Amino acid sequence: MKKKLIAGNWKMNGSTVANAALVQQLLEGVNQVACDIAVCVPAPYLAGVGALVKGTAIAVGAQDVSAHEAGAYTGEVSAGMLRDLAVRYVIVGHSERRQYHGETDAVVANKVQKALAAGIVPIVCVGETLSEREAGQTEEVVKRQLAAVIHTNGHCISEIVVAYEPVWAIGTGKTASPEQAQQVHAVLRTQLHAATAHSDRVRILYGGSMNAANAAELLAQTDIDGGLVGGASLKALDFLAIIAAAA
Ligand code: PGA
């Protein structure tokens, strides 16, 4: 069985003082962990949080990366810069970036390529909106999103992490049922299997209102290899409970 990955997505939250307190509480609570743990923090805090968790069970991740390597791209952060800061993971194609920043499947695929080239593990987000689900398009949407990443990255996709995040479940308190999530995870698993001989290496996380109460049931599903946790990752006890559920 794959080691599960629990990744916190802090989104645009935190401060130097708040981060230090949260990380300290997490470090006190994660003594014997049987899963991989990451916190994906806002770019200005990558170095600071990186220093706090250095040598511990907690890895640092970023929330975005540029599709470009270097140059005149004001405000962008390159994969090389993330590597420079010893960042292990980067969330790519989160629905909030697709929705508010116009990231297309092609842009997401290029970002994944840059992360992989820098040796950073991209956590590639896919997921349908409520109207797409209601129109019966869930499979088609997630397959299209993942296909773009596979097309651009070929066999390297065995090095990615996928996160299935139904948009209607993000930050809404509405979680996909374990059966609904498993169904989509199985579709993604089949697609990965067709694309690489090493698909068994690829972890598929569930994200969308995962919390201390529902994590165990979601993580018990055959094809759910971890969680991408937003709101609950900002509360140490909740995040620790999810980590415990993954062990
Ligand atoms: P949520 O966010 O856990 O707050 O729903 C998950 C995410 O957006 O990654």
Side-chain angles (χ1 to χ4, degrees):
M1 215 169 80
K2 280 179 282 292
K3 205 174 184 186
K4 287 191 168 33
L5 168 64
I6 301 297
N9 175 10
W10 289 4
K11 309 196 180 188
M12 199 171 72
N13 295 292
S15 67
T16 303
V17 172
N19 298 347
L22 177 54
V23 168
Q24 192 190 341
Q25 281 180 282
L26 292 178
L27 289 175
E28 281 166 9
V30 293
N31 296 326
Q32 296 160 326
V33 286
C35 69
D36 289 332
I37 307 168
V39 287
C40 299
V41 309
Y45 299 126
L46 286 167
V49 173
L52 293 173
V53 300
K54 196 167 179 211
T56 74
I58 301 179
V60 171
Q63 298 175 7
D64 184 30
V65 64
S66 177
H68 305 285
E69 217 162 291
Y73 300 102
T74 302
E76 296 265 290
V77 175
S78 74
M81 293 169 188
L82 297 181
R83 180 181 49 200
D84 208 13
L85 293 178
V87 166
R88 177 105 47 96
Y89 300 94
V90 59
I91 298 171
V92 182
H94 190 280
S95 63
E96 286 150 16
R97 300 227 41 105
R98 294 180 190 260
Q99 197 179 340
Y100 308 138
H101 301 273
E103 287 192 11
T104 61
D105 293 342
V107 167
V108 171
N110 286 332
K111 289 184 170 195
V112 169
Q113 191 179 41
K114 293 296 179 295
L116 288 172
I120 296 166
V121 178
I123 301 175
V124 183
C125 301
V126 301
E128 81 289 1
T129 62
L130 184 59
S131 59
E132 287 164 342
R133 173 163 282 266
E134 285 172 351
Q137 295 165 343
T138 299
E139 267 195 35
E140 180 191 327
V141 169
V142 298
K143 280 166 90 173
R144 188 203 71 221
Q145 291 170 332
L146 184 58
V149 174
I150 292 171
H151 178 74
T152 302
N153 293 280
H155 67 271
C156 294
I157 56 132
S158 60
E159 305 306 318
I160 74 174
V161 170
V162 176
Y164 168 55
E165 297 206 309
V167 179
W168 49 271
I170 295 178
T172 58
K174 277 187 217 157
T175 320
S177 70
E179 296 73 26
Q180 279 174 325
Q182 166 57 30
Q183 202 174 11
V184 179
H185 280 236
V187 167
L188 296 169
R189 177 78 66 212
T190 304
Q191 189 177 7
L192 289 164
H193 185 67
T196 166
H198 303 291
S199 63
D200 51 336
R201 251 194 243 165
V202 180
R203 290 182 285 196
I204 309 178
L205 316 183
Y206 169 80
S209 299
M210 184 181 266
N211 59 40
N214 62 27
E217 215 188 338
L218 286 159
L219 294 168
Q221 301 301 308
T222 320
D223 290 303
I224 300 187
D225 307 311
L228 182 55
V229 186
S233 74
L234 296 170
K235 296 176 217 140
L237 291 180
D238 291 25
F239 195 54
L240 288 168
I242 296 171
I243 290 165

